[in-house]
Amino acid sequence: MRSLFLRIFLSFWVATLLVLATTAAVAWYRFQRDQAASPDIRQLASEASNRLLVGGMTDLYKWIESAQERYPGRDIYVVRPDGQDILQRPLPPTYRSYANRLKDAGFFGREPPPSGRDDPLLLTPLFTDRDGTVYTVMIGRSSALSPLQASDVRLVVLAFALVISGLVCWWLAHYISKPLERLQSSARSLAAGNLEARVGEEFSSRRDELGVLARDFDTMADHIRTLIASREDLLRAMSHELRSPLARLRVASGLARRPQADIVKQLDRIELEAERLDTLIGQMLQLSQLRAKPTLPLEPVDVTTLLNEVVEDARLEASAADKNVDWTPGESLWLNGDHDLMRSAIENVLRNAVRFTKPGSAVSVSLTREHRDAVIAIEDHGPGVPEAELARIFEPFYRVAESRDRDSGGTGIGLAITARVVGLYQGQVRAQNAASGGLRVEIRLPLRRD
């Protein structure tokens, strides 16, 4: 049972069925008891007549006592022609009224005919004494309180209904409110700055809507903690990265102020550092924007044409350093994405490869179709990356100290932007050391489906 709605519905339904079943059981028991204990009034009248004729009034008194012992909970009345019980017990109003009607009808004023006992108009049988006095037998309920009287039955059923509904409502209130209280407490704790606040396994393991809500809350809390930790790491890295070009700017500015300083050289240095600052800030802004975007535009992009543009620009940069880029266009492959972001993601990897490949070598670029994916492979002939650090090169500001340091001109953000863009478009990027040396980066993106 996974639905909270079903739990609530079935709980109230079962409680209602229990109350109805209890009511029916009590009514059935009462009916069976009444049926089992209900005496035959005509049989009693015959017994009373025999006792009266044989033993007289004294024996009739004894018979009434014995009959009431045989039928507990019953009052056996023998009514005289004057409408009174022979034991001087008060008759119930309905019986007294019936006795008066018999008297008014003349049944008590004369000896009934032999067929009078079987008269269908009579509710109680009549019998006579030797002197012709007419009597009738009436059966009533005992005046003593019975645990299963009609009013008591209603009280029992009402009490049972209150108990069952109370238990069901208490269970439902506890079942629903307990995780909500924990969720409220965790939300307040999280809002107060406790990033470790969680609902807990006790409630997140439930299989209903509240369990889903608890798991979603814990996932959200984990995501918030990761985002805040990542942002703090990013801020620390940004402050550290910005200090280096700012420090070099101060040094260049100080050197320019010295007597006989090479002003042109220092101004070139200042311009270079300003460009680095501008590039670094632009990349940081781009990465920050990508982090804030859960989705990106989906437009048809011809990745073959896009690679032509990126490779042509990279060849200009590579030719100035006695390097080259090998690329042979093939069939047109179409992706769903944003042209500028896709270009930035591929260009970051390609420029990184051109920067670190050895002089006189060429960066290899290829595009292939694998099932429903387009695979872009970029391989350089540089120093490569230690195996233990391959997964970390896509982290912001991470550099491999031995070969990819700040002197190369990199900012450590380009590959992080690539990983973020590719991830947002349901793709994958991975790096591995090539067998012939150097680094091979593969970008795998899903093809557009017609």
Side-chain angles (χ1 to χ4, degrees):
M1 188 185 302
R2 299 185 181 183
S3 173
L4 185 61
F5 168 79
L6 284 179
R7 285 183 183 272
I8 296 174
F9 171 74
L10 291 179
S11 298
F12 280 109
W13 194 30
V14 170
T16 303
L17 289 179
L18 286 175
V19 172
L20 292 176
T22 303
T23 305
V26 171
W28 179 84
Y29 174 78
R30 176 185 171 84
F31 175 77
Q32 291 295 324
R33 190 188 72 92
D34 290 347
Q35 287 293 103
S38 180
D40 185 350
I41 191 169
R42 299 192 181 280
Q43 177 65 31
L44 289 179
S46 177
E47 294 178 7
S49 176
N50 292 334
R51 288 297 186 96
L52 181 60
L53 294 174
V54 174
M57 193 62 67
T58 303
D59 200 15
L60 182 60
Y61 293 158
K62 293 180 181 179
W63 173 83
I64 293 174
E65 293 178 359
S66 65
Q68 292 197 156
E69 290 178 358
R70 280 185 294 161
Y71 302 105
R74 298 286 183 173
D75 284 331
I76 309 298
Y77 300 102
V78 177
V79 182
R80 300 191 304 254
D82 60 358
Q84 300 296 323
D85 177 51
I86 63 173
L87 297 180
Q88 300 299 321
R89 295 172 297 179
L91 291 176
T94 55
Y95 290 3
R96 188 166 56 250
S97 175
Y98 177 68
N100 291 332
R101 289 199 299 272
L102 288 178
K103 184 178 179 181
D104 295 339
F107 284 98
F108 276 158
R110 59 179 175 82
E111 183 177 347
S115 61
R117 295 180 182 176
D118 298 326
D119 192 335
L121 298 177
L122 296 177
L123 298 177
T124 59
L126 303 177
F127 62 95
T128 58
D129 197 358
R130 291 190 181 91
D131 59 2
T133 304
V134 180
Y135 297 91
T136 185
V137 175
M138 296 183 180
I139 303 174
R141 296 211 176 261
S142 176
S143 58
L145 293 177
S146 173
L148 290 178
Q149 287 182 346
S151 59
D152 294 336
V153 169
R154 288 192 292 268
L155 291 177
V156 169
V157 173
L158 177 61
F160 184 81
L162 290 175
V163 171
I164 292 297
S165 60
L167 290 176
V168 170
C169 292
W170 179 87
W171 178 80
L172 281 176
H174 178 78
Y175 185 83
I176 295 174
S177 64
K178 196 66 176 178
L180 292 179
E181 289 175 359
R182 177 67 67 84
L183 185 64
Q184 182 185 49
S185 175
S186 300
R188 289 177 176 175
S189 180
L190 184 65
N194 180 17
L195 299 181
E196 301 300 325
R198 299 293 184 274
V199 177
E201 184 67 21
E202 177 185 359
F203 298 107
S204 61
S205 60
R206 289 170 43 155
R207 302 176 64 185
D208 55 16
E209 290 87 343
L210 292 176
V212 174
L213 181 61
R215 289 192 292 274
D216 289 344
F217 179 87
D218 288 347
T219 302
M220 178 194 70
D222 290 337
H223 186 59
I224 290 175
R225 181 181 61 181
T226 301
L227 286 178
I228 292 178
S230 176
R231 181 161 296 184
E232 290 177 351
D233 292 341
L234 183 61
L235 288 174
R236 284 195 295 268
M238 285 171 56
S239 61
H240 179 72
E241 292 294 327
L242 290 173
R243 283 196 185 99
S244 297
L246 287 174
R248 290 192 288 269
L249 279 173
R250 291 193 186 98
V251 171
S253 177
L255 292 175
R257 289 191 178 94
R258 290 183 178 181
Q260 300 178 351
D262 189 346
I263 301 298
V264 175
K265 179 180 178 180
Q266 299 307 323
L267 288 177
D268 290 341
R269 183 66 180 184
I270 290 173
E271 183 179 3
L272 176 62
E273 297 301 332
E275 290 177 355
R276 287 181 175 178
L277 272 175
D278 182 66
T279 301
L280 178 60
I281 292 173
Q283 288 183 329
M284 288 190 298
L285 288 175
Q286 185 181 16
L287 182 61
S288 177
Q289 291 173 352
L290 289 173
R291 285 172 176 267
K293 289 182 179 180
T295 58
L296 293 176
L298 294 177
E299 301 172 354
V301 176
D302 184 355
V303 69
T304 305
T305 303
L306 180 61
L307 276 172
N308 284 333
E309 300 173 6
V310 175
V311 168
E312 288 301 320
D313 292 342
R315 280 173 176 167
L316 292 176
E317 182 179 340
S319 62
D322 191 23
K323 302 173 183 179
N324 195 13
V325 178
D326 290 338
W327 155 250
T328 302
E331 63 172 321
S332 294
L333 298 180
W334 290 83
L335 308 174
N336 282 325
D338 180 83
H339 182 275
D340 294 337
L341 288 176
M342 287 290 185
R343 178 187 175 94
S344 176
I346 299 171
E347 189 176 42
N348 288 336
V349 178
L350 184 55
R351 294 188 65 188
N352 195 65
V354 170
R355 185 179 301 116
F356 294 108
T357 195
K358 297 177 182 178
S361 64
V363 175
S364 174
V365 179
S366 64
L367 173 64
T368 57
R369 177 201 294 265
E370 292 186 7
H371 303 292
R372 297 180 177 179
D373 295 335
V375 180
I376 303 169
I378 300 175
E379 183 176 338
D380 63 43
H381 295 278
V385 175
E387 292 291 333
E389 302 183 45
L390 281 173
R392 300 195 60 191
I393 63 175
F394 297 102
E395 298 177 5
F397 301 109
Y398 184 80
R399 295 186 182 89
V400 180
E402 291 81 359
S403 58
R404 303 183 187 278
D405 55 16
R406 292 177 177 83
D407 293 336
S408 67
T411 61
I413 303 180
L415 293 182
I417 292 175
T418 297
R420 179 62 177 169
V421 172
V422 172
L424 286 174
Y425 283 115
Q426 309 301 317
Q428 295 177 344
V429 58
R430 67 186 185 96
Q432 60 183 7
N433 288 312
S436 58
L439 185 69
R440 177 184 174 88
V441 178
E442 286 188 359
I443 300 175
R444 182 181 296 269
L445 291 164
L447 290 169
R448 176 183 175 87
R449 299 181 183 180
D450 296 333

